[in-house]
Amino acid sequence: MASTFRPVLERIAEEIERTPVRGRPADYIPALAARDPRSFGMAVAELDGTVYGVGDWREPFSTQSITKVFTLALDLAREGEILWEHVGREPSGNPFNSLVQLEYENGIPRNPFINAGALVVTDRLHSRSGDAAGELLSFLRSESGNPDLDFDAQVAASESAHGDRNAALAHFMASYGNIDNPVPVLLDQYFRQCSLTASCADLARATTFLARHGLRADGTRLLTRSQAKQVNAVMLTCGTYDAAGEFAYRVGLPGKSGVGGGIIAVVPGRCTLCVWSPALDEQGNSVAGVAALDRFTTLTGVSIF
């Protein structure tokens, strides 16, 4: 069982503590810039929901793009294959907020994890649920077992104040007919979604449905086995911005990062992980987080390969 990983987590935490800090927290959102770059937490969740960790694993942080995994799963569960007519499944090779590809690909984003793709997914989930952010929050509260999870209004407001690039992406896709809702409504939903605050413990437990091949914590099925495979596959190839190849090479697990410093990772059929450390590399991924997951798969021999 995953409990055998506890000594591995403790060893990784000791190694990270001895390692000089590299990278820096995201500076365009004041609440993120203020986080201590030396903070580090890591959690493992077993398939039955048992979770344990090291360091700051119960410290809430801004989840940011990690939430894109959950909105993708929620929308895929509702509309199935039709979703892939509106967003692709290929790595972008460009920054996560790039406008360049959208023009020569006629408003169809490369994948659901770059900002343009996530906006499409949130838009479609909002059309089908009436409240995409509320649907996400309800799901994460249920799957994590933490009814106190919530959005951070200060972070959402800060993102909105610096949201011109996301607004441009949304308007551009709307001009191609790939956005259904009014752009201001969509942006409000998206910024709230990204402001969700959770801990490594919360996110590791909430992600276990992907390790259980689509089964939720209560045993009901959210995704088919095939759909769970699809989400994990897109996480592996597209989940860490334009460093996805390096992440797959070093870690060998489906993963999704956020500029708040968190990364979730899935070991299908076995367990899920979440690691958090605010200092980011140039691609927007946690430096210590990637290193910790690299060490985890190296020390345990656990990967999908």
Side-chain angles (χ1 to χ4, degrees):
M1 295 297 290
S3 57
T4 60
F5 298 145
R6 190 186 302 271
V8 175
L9 295 194
E10 292 171 352
R11 177 174 171 180
I12 291 170
E14 291 171 1
E15 292 179 2
I16 294 294
E17 189 173 1
R18 294 195 302 266
T19 304
V21 174
R22 292 184 296 121
R24 61 177 185 170
D27 56 9
Y28 59 92
I29 301 172
L32 303 187
R35 299 310 296 254
D36 180 359
R38 289 210 63 87
S39 297
F40 174 81
M42 189 172 187
V44 172
E46 301 180 18
L47 299 190
D48 65 359
T50 301
V51 64
Y52 56 91
V54 292
D56 303 310
W57 67 294
R58 294 192 180 278
E59 175 74 19
F61 61 90
S62 189
T63 57
Q64 296 294 314
S65 288
I66 291 174
T67 59
K68 296 172 182 177
V69 171
F70 304 105
T71 52
L72 172 61
L74 290 167
D75 188 70
L76 191 59
R78 285 177 176 268
E79 65 171 331
E81 290 295 306
I82 296 172
L83 169 63
W84 302 119
E85 297 175 10
H86 300 270
V87 61
R89 303 186 292 271
E90 296 293 336
S92 67
N94 284 316
F96 60 85
N97 59 358
S98 173
L99 280 157
V100 175
Q101 285 177 327
L102 276 179
E103 183 160 17
Y104 63 77
E105 293 180 352
N106 300 316
I108 305 294
R110 261 305 165 90
N111 66 68
F113 295 148
I114 55 174
N115 287 17
L119 284 163
V120 168
V121 173
T122 296
D123 176 66
R124 299 185 69 77
L125 180 61
H126 189 65
S127 294
R128 283 150 186 78
S129 68
D131 182 6
E135 186 92 347
L136 168 72
L137 183 60
S138 176
F139 178 80
L140 289 177
R141 284 175 171 174
S142 175
E143 295 304 292
S144 69
N146 182 358
D148 296 325
L149 288 186
D150 213 340
F151 304 116
D152 185 322
Q154 180 183 357
V155 171
S158 183
E159 296 211 44
S160 179
H162 298 84
D164 291 339
R165 178 65 66 96
N166 285 315
L169 291 167
H171 282 294
F172 194 82
M173 291 186 293
S175 74
Y176 282 94
N178 202 22
I179 295 294
D180 295 332
N181 294 283
V183 169
V185 172
L186 168 58
L187 292 175
D188 177 66
Q189 288 284 321
Y190 182 71
F191 294 140
R192 286 175 63 212
Q193 165 191 324
C194 291
S195 77
L196 186 121
T197 298
S199 68
C200 290
D202 296 324
L203 290 171
R205 190 180 284 124
T207 308
T208 53
F209 76 98
L210 289 173
R212 290 191 296 262
H213 309 292
L215 289 179
R216 295 186 60 167
D218 63 3
T220 61
R221 182 167 289 282
L222 175 70
L223 301 175
T224 67
R225 287 183 70 96
S226 178
Q227 288 172 331
K229 178 195 71 175
Q230 291 171 359
V231 174
N232 282 327
V234 177
M235 286 172 68
L236 179 72
T237 57
C238 309
T240 45
Y241 310 121
D242 51 333
E246 178 71 8
F247 185 83
Y249 176 82
R250 290 182 61 185
V251 176
L253 294 174
K256 182 71 194 86
S257 62
V259 295
I263 308 174
I264 56 173
V266 180
V267 185
R270 191 158 186 183
C271 64
T272 52
L273 303 102
C274 181
V275 62
W276 169 65
S277 188
L280 310 179
D281 60 22
E282 291 182 357
Q283 286 76 34
N285 301 309
S286 170
V287 176
V290 174
L293 291 170
D294 181 0
R295 289 298 285 154
F296 178 84
T297 54
T298 298
L299 291 170
T300 63
V302 171
S303 84
I304 63 170
F305 300 109

